[in-house]
Amino acid sequence: RLYQIPFEMPDCAGESETRTLHLVGDFSAPAEFFVTLGVFCFLYAMAALVLYLRFHSLYGENKKLPIADFCVTVCFAFFWLVAAAAWGKGLTDVKAATRPASLIAAMGVCQEEEVGCNAG
């Protein structure tokens, strides 16, 4: 949620005055998806562990239970791959939105001809 992060931008009209500029973008959805999926995977792994250890005979006698377990595990593996890719894309977008060249381009004061802006 970069739009919640303000930073001070110099105002060339008055040397001591600054204006507040807010970053642009909300890249929280991929991270939330990744964390939510991680929690569900952990809970499923704990439930499967209880099933394997406590109800081993039920797991061995029922032929549909191992197939269902395999299908759920494959689904979690696929969604984990998707979530990791989405999180990586979100991190790349945050990096692009916060690089110095993007911040300088967003500052109106840096667009004037006689003004030279650089990082730092």
Side-chain angles (χ1 to χ4, degrees):
R1 296 184 181 101
L2 292 179
Y3 60 87
Q4 295 177 342
I5 308 295
F7 65 95
E8 300 300 319
M9 174 181 69
D11 189 10
C12 288
E15 300 241 350
S16 63
E17 295 180 22
T18 60
R19 288 185 3 195
T20 302
L21 184 68
H22 290 272
L23 298 175
V24 178
D26 183 4
F27 308 107
S28 62
E32 290 170 354
F33 178 56
F34 188 80
V35 170
T36 302
L37 186 66
V39 168
F40 284 142
C41 286
F42 175 76
L43 292 175
Y44 179 73
M46 292 298 106
L49 188 62
V50 167
L51 179 68
Y52 298 154
L53 296 177
R54 180 77 174 124
F55 303 104
H56 181 68
S57 61
L58 175 68
Y59 190 80
E61 293 170 0
N62 191 345
K63 299 299 180 195
K64 291 183 182 180
L65 200 55
I67 293 172
D69 181 33
F70 175 74
C71 291
V72 170
T73 302
V74 167
C75 289
F76 272 128
F78 173 74
F79 283 126
W80 192 271
L81 177 67
V82 170
W87 192 22
K89 174 70 169 112
L91 289 176
T92 302
D93 291 343
V94 168
K95 183 179 174 183
T98 58
R99 73 174 174 252
S102 297
L103 298 177
I104 289 171
M107 295 180 181
V109 73
C110 293
Q111 305 305 320
E112 299 175 14
E113 292 181 18
E114 63 273 354
V115 176
C117 294
N118 58 19

